């Protein structure tokens, strides 16, 4: 295919316009000399306790001008008083919600879901969704992708692939018992919905896994490109994660150990080797949310296992 591009004989530049005035022309020295952000593990703690009410905002450490827990995800809690309501997912593409205490309702458009402790929901962002406290109030944990939407400057318009979905606690419990009966000791329930069943995701961006580890079980040491945020629902005195940059004979060299406590939120940076272990005598249970959709679609998830 031919073209008429010839930079050596380019026509004179046209008169200045607002669009032209915004243009920058950088040399390699300009570009390569720019200050690169430090890796997540160099600036953030590996775990924090979830607040009673409010975001886990680490934007100052990340150098971001908007609330964020990791560069592309925001986690936190909302405590909703009886009869009160709060917006859910403003400026986000989607939200994963875990009901912690109380009861109430989530309303999205003309749909309403009555919820109680242990329920999990996927809520479309940017559609005016609300959570309403019941007679004793409502408290819930959430992870959304609003930092990514803000970084990209996106105005999100949800589609059927971002569907209001409710996984009630009773059905989650039944599914966990099914996995236990099948002899599965280091996995649980992967949350998806009919709009994106093929991808096995809870929203086009967010992967969600209600993960159970039986006594003596462990998730194999592994790494992946998508960062993860993990909420500890049930822990014990001997449940923990190990994280580190290098392996030797399938084991993490000089790992950072993060002991699990109920209500703790663990932050797993991208591509860092990590494993989760239950050396205690009771089951442990977590909700893992990853920003996986873009990586899977781009074929860059880079899941690796130590053994």
């Amino acid at each position: 295919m031919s073209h008429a591009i010839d930079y050596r004989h380019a026509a004179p530049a046209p008169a200045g316009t607002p669009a032209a005035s915004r243009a920058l022309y950088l040399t390699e020295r300009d570009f390569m000399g720019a200050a690169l952000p430090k890796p997540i593990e160099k600036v953030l703690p590996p775990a924090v306790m979830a607040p009673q009410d409010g975001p886990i905002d680490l934007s100052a450490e990340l150098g971001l001008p908007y609330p964020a827990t990791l560069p592309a995800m925001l986690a936190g809690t909302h405590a909703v008083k009886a009869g009160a309501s709060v917006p859910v997912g403003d400026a986000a593409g989607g939200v994963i919600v875990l009901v912690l205490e109380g009861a109430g309702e989530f309303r999205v458009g003309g749909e309403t879901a009555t919820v109680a402790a242990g329920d999990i929901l996927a809520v479309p962002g940017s559609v005016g969704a609300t959570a309403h406290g019941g007679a004793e109030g409502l408290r819930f944990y959430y992870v959304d992708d609003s930092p990514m939407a803000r970084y990209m400057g996106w105005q999100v318009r949800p589609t059927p692939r971002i569907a209001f979905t409710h996984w009630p606690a009773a059905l989650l419990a039944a599914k966990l018992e099914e996995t236990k009966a099948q002899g599965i000791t280091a996995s649980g329930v992967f949350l998806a919905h009919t709009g994106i069943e093929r991808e096995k995701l809870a929203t086009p961006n967010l992967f969600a896994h209600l993960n159970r580890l039986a006594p003596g079980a462990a998730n194999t040491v592994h790494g992946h490109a998508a960062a993860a945020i993990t909420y500890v629902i049930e822990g014990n005195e001997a449940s923990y994660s190990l994280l580190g940059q290098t392996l030797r004979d399938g084991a993490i060299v000089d790992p950072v150990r993060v002991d699990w406590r109920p209500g703790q939120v663990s932050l797993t940076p991208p591509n860092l080797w990590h494993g989760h272990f239950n050396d205690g005598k009771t089951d442990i249970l977590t909700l893992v949310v990853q920003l996986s959709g873009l990586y899977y679609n781009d074929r860059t998830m880079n899941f690796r296992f130590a053994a």
Side-chain angles (χ1 to χ4, degrees):
M1 180 182 293
S2 63
H3 57 75
I5 298 172
D6 182 357
Y7 286 118
R8 291 181 297 275
H9 302 94
T17 63
S21 70
R22 290 188 284 270
L24 299 177
Y25 305 86
L26 306 179
T27 66
E28 182 180 20
R29 181 177 298 175
D30 296 326
F31 185 77
M32 299 305 293
L36 298 176
K38 291 183 179 179
I40 292 172
E41 63 269 21
K42 301 296 185 182
V43 297
L44 297 186
V48 297
M49 293 302 295
Q52 185 67 23
D53 183 20
I56 303 171
D57 185 7
L58 301 174
S59 56
E61 292 86 343
L62 293 167
L64 299 175
Y66 39 76
T69 307
L70 291 175
M73 290 188 288
L74 176 65
T77 61
H78 276 303
V80 189
K81 294 180 179 180
S85 64
V86 297
V88 180
D90 284 359
V95 190
I96 304 300
V97 168
L98 170 64
V99 180
L100 301 176
E101 299 176 283
E105 293 180 344
F106 279 75
R107 300 174 188 170
V108 179
E111 293 188 67
T112 297
T114 301
V115 301
D119 287 12
I120 300 176
L121 304 100
V123 179
S126 306
V127 294
T130 53
H132 300 258
E136 297 180 359
L138 172 70
R139 182 167 170 263
F140 64 92
Y141 164 80
Y142 67 89
V143 180
D144 70 34
D145 55 6
S146 61
M148 187 178 75
R150 293 180 188 278
Y151 173 76
M152 299 298 292
W154 285 338
Q155 296 295 316
V156 180
R157 293 184 179 180
T159 73
R161 287 169 50 80
I162 310 176
F164 184 33
T165 307
H166 181 198
W167 297 275
L171 298 182
L172 291 169
K175 290 296 182 182
L176 287 171
E177 285 301 312
E178 284 182 21
T179 65
K180 189 173 184 178
Q182 294 166 5
I184 298 172
T185 61
S187 187
V189 185
F190 296 88
L191 305 177
H193 67 81
T194 55
I196 47 173
E197 183 176 359
R198 183 177 66 86
E199 290 96 327
K200 309 296 189 291
L201 297 172
T203 83
N205 251 349
L206 300 175
F207 159 99
H209 180 204
L210 186 60
N211 187 28
R212 168 186 162 268
L213 289 184
N219 291 127
T220 303
V221 172
H222 61 286
H224 39 73
I229 298 180
T230 300
Y231 180 87
V232 180
I233 299 170
E234 297 177 9
N236 60 40
E237 74 290 345
S239 55
Y240 59 95
S241 297
L242 298 178
L243 303 94
Q245 295 182 351
T246 58
L247 293 179
R248 182 182 299 131
D249 299 326
I252 301 172
V253 176
D254 296 327
V256 172
R257 174 170 169 147
V258 180
D259 291 297
W260 288 11
R261 300 287 182 268
Q264 178 177 289
V265 178
S266 297
L267 309 178
T268 304
N271 298 313
L272 209 64
W273 291 107
H274 57 283
H276 312 300
F277 305 86
N278 182 6
D279 293 343
K281 298 179 180 180
T282 60
D283 284 354
I284 57 178
L285 192 64
T286 62
L287 176 63
V288 184
V289 178
Q290 286 180 286
L291 192 85
S292 297
L294 289 178
Y295 290 94
Y296 278 122
N297 186 61
D298 201 38
R299 283 67 168 176
T300 55
M301 189 63 183
N302 194 28
F303 240 108
R304 302 169 296 154
F305 294 90

